[in-house]
Amino acid sequence: MTRWRALIVDDEPLARRSLRLLLEANPEIEVAGECGDGEAAVRAVLDQRPDLLLLDVEMPGLDGFGVLQALGAETAPLVVFVTAFDQYAIRAFEAHAFDYLLKPFSDERCATVLARACDRLRERESAVFAERLGALLDRHERTVRQLVVRDGGRTLVIPWADIDWIGAEDYCVRIHAGGARPLIRRSLQAVASALDPAVFVRVHRSTVVNVSRIRELRPLPSGDAEITLVDGTKLRASRSYRADLESRLGA
């Protein structure tokens, strides 16, 4: 089981001790450390990279909001503000805090917030894993010159040489490869980035074409162009992509 590392930041020793006891009661959380002021908190976050930050608002010197400002959105962990002053609640959420514990709070309220925080951290971890897996698959596809896609209950392996063109459809793309036309839930940009730009060319914000499949390019009065593929399929190349297309065709 993953254990999330939490850092406690509060200028009151008794408050830090109470939070530590509550955090240690959650089997998914490991206390990474404690800080009594904002400057120490910034150093600790940058050094220890905790997953969760229990952050007091009012502290001498750098306050809780100053800590987040110093860290920046990319560096800050998941933040739960802990304070005795409810007037900071709106500002806390404007600072993108995950939740807010108002002192004095019950053990039950704290346990609920921590459980929700663990759920959110799992969601973050899953999203990062999915992104890394997608990047790995893209690199693999670029190396082996084929797309591996799910089509219903099937997994299809489509060599680049078989693909005529690819078109965006809402949040999916359809691969046109001879008689096969699988629809996959990936963005056109993600699929295009896995293809060799020497083989495929973007002709429209919603269309990528295999250059070897283009039989004819006919300019249109609008500045766009009509593409005819070897199988007779007609597609439109927008004028913003037309110059690059003509260059690729040696026109």
Side-chain angles (χ1 to χ4, degrees), residues 198-227:
V199 179
F200 294 89
V201 60
R202 189 83 169 255
V203 300
H204 191 277
R205 62 184 178 85
S206 61
T207 312
V208 170
V209 175
N210 186 331
V211 177
S212 68
R213 295 295 197 275
I214 298 175
R215 185 179 69 194
E216 181 183 343
L217 183 68
R218 185 169 64 88
L220 298 174
S222 64
D224 293 353
E226 183 182 76
I227 299 170

Side-chain angles (χ1 to χ4, degrees), residues 114-166:
L114 294 178
R116 291 182 58 245
C118 290
D119 289 341
R120 176 61 61 85
L121 288 168
R122 277 191 293 273
E123 291 171 3
R124 279 188 178 183
E125 187 178 55
S126 296
V128 169
F129 175 77
E131 183 178 350
R132 289 175 178 171
L133 179 60
L136 180 63
L137 289 173
D138 287 346
R139 288 196 298 271
H140 172 71
E141 288 167 353
R142 192 177 294 112
T143 301
V144 300
R145 305 180 73 81
Q146 65 189 25
L147 287 175
V148 181
V149 300
R150 294 282 297 174
D151 181 29
R154 303 179 300 167
T155 299
L156 302 180
V157 179
I158 307 175
W160 289 356
D162 293 349
I163 298 173
D164 301 313
W165 64 285
I166 304 169

Side-chain angles (χ1 to χ4, degrees), residues 1 25 68 83 130 175 188 193 214:
M1 180 179 65
L68 293 189
T83 182
I175 312 293
L188 185 63
S193 66
I214 298 175

Side-chain angles (χ1 to χ4, degrees), residues 65-79:
F65 296 110
V67 170
L68 293 189
Q69 186 175 5
L71 291 172
E74 298 299 321
T75 310
L78 195 69
V79 176

